[in-house]
Amino acid sequence: MGKSILIISGKGGVGKSTLAAALAVTAAKKGRRTALLDADIGLRSLDMMLGLQDQVLFDLADCVGHRCSLKQALVPHPVYQDLRLVVGGQMARPKDFKPQDLKKLVRTLSASHDTLIIDGPAGLGRGVKNFAGLADDYVIVATPDPVSLRAAEKAAQVLMKSQCHPQLIINRVQRHLVEAGEVPAPQMLALGLDLPLLGVIEDDPWVYSGMLQGKTAAEQEVGGLPRIFEDILLRLEGVQLPVKDLEKETRLRRFLRKVSQRL
Ligand SMILES: Nc1ncnc2c1ncn2[C@@H]1O[C@H](COP(=O)(O)OP(=O)(O)OP(=O)(O)O)[C@@H](O)[C@H]1O
Ligand SMILES: [Mg+2]
């Protein structure tokens, strides 16, 4: 039985799908049989992020509605042979999915894969509640702004009510603001929310330009993003790997960052 990881956030647009796609690619690169489930019912995005939009024939709603088998709904990635995607129903609504259907789906996907990454919806409604209790690990994504952090706190409360213990990823950190003392360090933010810190990802313009080329953050050629996702995956797999403080940007790193921004 593989490990299932649910990625959610309280506030939308904080980078869940970006992170889910990058983590899935990281796992597949490492040879883990990986399934990526786009559970953002009604507005899927992972097919586009992975450049698979023309290959999707069936979705989660077809699967749950018995219009196709789960095998038919799994879209293989052309480059990473260990990666397969199931997309949410574009026309479906979260209430169309019964918790027992989702439970069965998550169990079946976990049984046939080493790693199952579920890109959950934003918010604290039925979409998230439906998935609470289904996964092995829960990751809340937040950006370092007060509204996103407050929403992360609420998401954590919803999960903890179902005995789920989430970890936190702080995304889109702007190093110069942390260095200037304008934004607390990610470690402090995690401490404030009383959540274990799973990873810190800087705001990197490459993420957007990579997405336009159908590349995930795990496929950045120059820069530190792939390594960050490898470390996050290792932590999720139980390796004790401390999350380092943001180091002061060296000249070399600044140079590499600028090069990567131009690519
Ligand atoms: N570390 C990052 N650096 C720069 N841009 C980022 C980073 N992470 C995410 N983004 C950008 O933020 C935007 C929103 O990301 P994404 O769609 O992954 O968020 P989401 O949480 O899945 O949104 P939704 O709640 O709508 O599903 C995208 O344009 C993405 O490229
Ligand atoms: Mg999303």
Side-chain angles (χ1 to χ4, degrees):
M1 196 79 174
K3 187 184 249 306
S4 51
I5 301 155
L6 174 67
I7 303 189
I8 66 153
S9 68
K11 185 171 177 279
V14 294
K16 292 178 299 301
S17 303
T18 304
L19 269 53
L23 268 180
V25 166
T26 305
K29 273 178 160 180
K30 295 227 165 258
R32 316 276 192 274
R33 288 170 305 152
T34 307
L36 178 58
L37 175 59
D38 191 336
D40 197 348
I41 312 296
L43 188 63
R44 68 189 195 212
S45 57
L46 289 174
D47 53 333
M48 285 186 156
M49 287 188 182
L50 293 167
L52 297 175
Q53 62 273 25
D54 296 333
Q55 290 165 55
V56 176
L57 290 178
F58 297 107
D59 59 32
L60 205 57
D62 293 321
C63 229
V64 170
H66 304 292
R67 290 182 290 277
C68 73
S69 66
L70 181 55
K71 203 173 166 196
Q72 287 174 304
L74 284 163
V75 184
H77 194 284
V79 178
Y80 306 107
Q81 289 173 0
D82 285 315
L83 175 57
R84 299 187 297 169
L85 171 73
V86 188
V87 299
Q90 193 73 332
M91 309 304 290
R93 294 159 301 174
K95 67 175 187 176
D96 298 335
F97 294 86
K98 294 192 209 95
Q100 59 265 39
D101 293 331
L102 293 171
K103 199 170 183 174
K104 197 170 155 203
L105 194 75
V106 169
R107 280 230 180 113
T108 313
L109 285 171
S110 301
S112 50
H113 294 84
D114 302 315
T115 309
L116 167 63
I117 295 177
I118 308 163
D119 178 23
L124 308 163
R126 190 194 288 261
V128 170
K129 283 184 189 150
N130 271 353
F131 280 92
L134 293 187
D136 300 315
D137 286 286
Y138 297 83
V139 177
I140 295 180
V141 182
T143 51
D145 70 88
V147 179
S148 164
L149 292 165
R150 180 186 284 166
E153 190 172 24
K154 290 206 163 200
Q157 284 164 1
V158 171
L159 288 175
M160 281 179 190
K161 267 193 196 147
S162 305
Q163 311 304 318
C164 308
H165 298 282
Q167 304 185 68
L168 181 70
I169 292 183
I170 304 278
N171 187 27
R172 307 199 72 165
V173 174
Q174 300 203 32
R175 180 189 291 265
H176 65 279
L177 294 181
V178 176
E179 282 176 0
E182 287 179 37
V183 172
Q187 277 78 0
M188 296 309 291
L189 298 175
L191 214 60
L193 295 181
D194 201 14
L195 291 174
L197 187 60
L198 180 67
V200 176
I201 299 158
E202 284 189 55
D203 190 85
D204 189 331
W206 189 92
V207 173
Y208 180 67
S209 51
M211 188 179 68
L212 297 179
Q213 303 164 43
K215 285 188 180 166
T216 67
E219 294 159 283
Q220 188 186 39
E221 291 93 1
V222 182
L225 287 172
R227 175 71 201 273
I228 288 173
F229 287 101
E230 282 168 24
D231 287 354
I232 289 174
L233 189 70
L234 285 174
R235 288 185 197 108
L236 284 166
E237 290 179 348
V239 177
Q240 296 293 324
L241 202 60
V243 182
K244 288 195 198 132
D245 290 340
L246 283 177
E247 294 154 20
K248 222 172 164 44
E249 198 169 37
T250 59
R251 278 186 167 181
L252 176 65
R253 274 199 62 153
R254 193 176 314 129
F255 172 74
L256 290 175
R257 176 169 57 80
K258 290 197 171 152
V259 170
S260 89
Q261 285 170 6
R262 287 206 195 99
L263 288 177

